[in-house]
Amino acid sequence: MAPWVTVRGCMRLINWIPVVFITLVICWSYYAYLVELCVFTVNNVGQKVVYILLFHAFFIIFVWSYWKTIFTPSHMPPLEYSLSPVDQEQLEREAREEVRQEVLKRCSQQLPLRTRTLSGAIRYCEKCHLLKPDRCHHCSTCEMCILKMDHHCPWVNNCVGFSNYKFFILFLAYALIYCVYIAATVMQYFLMFWKNTLQNTHAKFHILFLFFAAVIFGISVISLLGYHCWLVSKNRSTLEAFRAPIFRNGPDKNGFNLGFKKNVQQVFGDQWKYWFLPVFSSLNDGCSFPTCLVSQDVEQGTTIGTPSPVSEESFGRF
């Protein structure tokens, strides 16, 4: 048991390497832009002030979004989705699948479960011993079920899901703005470097690498941001884009699609003043979501197309 614990500890440390790398690049970019460019290279005082003020505005919101994406905990389903010890023991002891499904069906009677497995069975996690809410999936890296899981991102060493998906989108958006701003303001000095008109100091090498880094990271971020903006417009997660969620009537890739405006509000909230700030404002509770389906859910006794009411308490828990 001890060697396995050691291996898991080492893996957790290794998982932080991409985050450390990105953090070092951000710290270097801060030094290179502020000191090597603004202090030692830019001669005009007014230009220096404008560059420094705008840079800090973009830098703060970018780092804030990145920090929130990393350190916002990924939430597991609440306790009501966990099986009681008696039901769990019965489920583990029973080998017949039809009997197991009867146990799960009985346990899920009071829960708003609309999605199913490919075979039409109730979604159950054997590792976490709980019923999976809609759009919830088990992450093998985090070793837990994640509400509205999108994917596990190594660059933030965290699962991107219901609790931090908005922060992840803002992180990508502000990272792109940060890179575009640096590339745009450094370009004239980069061209001076190639024309050999830039003063011969060690700052010119920082300017060279700063421009290339901003362009390379900007290009890589813009494609990822565009993809996730498309997902938001369709109200899908990355997992749902690859495999459509399965409802009682079968797979439906547009099952959660409520229209562009409402889809955006699901992630960013219904108050636009919070959209651009890395503060939680997503709608719903992470366990149940409104759908565009209008068929009657006979077993649950509710209309599938009717969104579940969300209390202020559940909205503010994150």
Side-chain angles (χ1 to χ4, degrees), residues 29-197:
S29 69
Y30 182 86
Y31 165 79
Y33 191 92
L34 191 65
V35 178
E36 301 294 345
L37 177 69
C38 293
V39 175
F40 294 138
T41 306
V42 178
N43 295 320
N44 186 284
V45 176
Q47 189 177 2
K48 283 185 180 184
V49 173
V50 172
Y51 277 12
I52 291 174
L53 290 178
L54 289 177
F55 174 77
H56 277 93
F58 295 136
F59 180 82
I60 290 172
I61 196 70
F62 163 53
V63 173
W64 185 10
S65 302
Y66 187 47
W67 181 85
K68 291 285 286 186
T69 307
I70 296 172
F71 295 106
T72 299
S74 297
H75 290 279
M76 290 186 64
L79 291 177
E80 53 262 34
Y81 287 85
S82 300
L83 298 186
S84 66
V86 175
D87 291 328
Q88 183 178 330
E89 182 181 355
Q90 182 181 1
L91 199 67
E92 294 175 350
R93 187 175 62 247
E94 185 57 58
R96 292 171 296 177
E97 184 59 31
E98 60 274 13
V99 179
R100 290 170 57 88
Q101 280 302 304
E102 286 299 323
V103 174
L104 294 177
K105 188 178 296 185
R106 174 172 51 80
C107 296
S108 64
Q109 285 181 349
Q110 303 300 321
L111 299 175
L113 301 180
R114 294 165 181 156
T115 56
R116 295 291 184 265
T117 65
L118 189 60
S119 63
I122 293 175
R123 300 170 67 239
Y124 174 74
C125 182
E126 299 283 353
K127 296 182 179 179
C128 297
H129 305 294
L130 52 78
L131 299 164
K132 291 183 180 180
D134 295 342
R135 315 183 83 174
C136 174
H137 297 276
H138 185 88
C139 176
S140 57
T141 303
C142 296
E143 299 179 344
M144 58 186 287
C145 285
I146 307 297
L147 295 179
K148 195 187 174 184
M149 179 177 173
D150 186 88
H151 69 288
H152 184 91
C153 180
W155 298 107
V156 300
N157 191 29
N158 196 4
C159 256
V160 177
F162 175 73
S163 61
N164 65 348
Y165 188 57
K166 176 192 173 183
F167 305 148
F168 179 73
I169 297 291
L170 292 180
F171 156 62
L172 294 178
Y174 290 130
L176 178 60
I177 293 174
Y178 183 71
C179 290
V180 169
Y181 173 78
I182 289 179
T185 53
V186 171
M187 181 178 292
Q188 60 175 319
Y189 302 99
F190 173 77
L191 294 176
M192 290 172 61
F193 172 84
W194 281 107
K195 294 177 181 178
N196 242 352
T197 58

Side-chain angles (χ1 to χ4, degrees), residues 148 166 229 231-235 257-270 275 281-283:
K148 195 187 174 184
K166 176 192 173 183
C229 287
L231 290 178
V232 170
S233 70
K234 299 294 184 180
N235 199 3
N257 192 342
L258 308 175
F260 179 79
K261 181 180 179 180
K262 290 185 178 180
N263 290 342
V264 173
Q265 288 178 343
Q266 288 292 302
V267 175
F268 291 94
D270 51 10
W275 284 11
S281 59
S282 302
L283 301 183

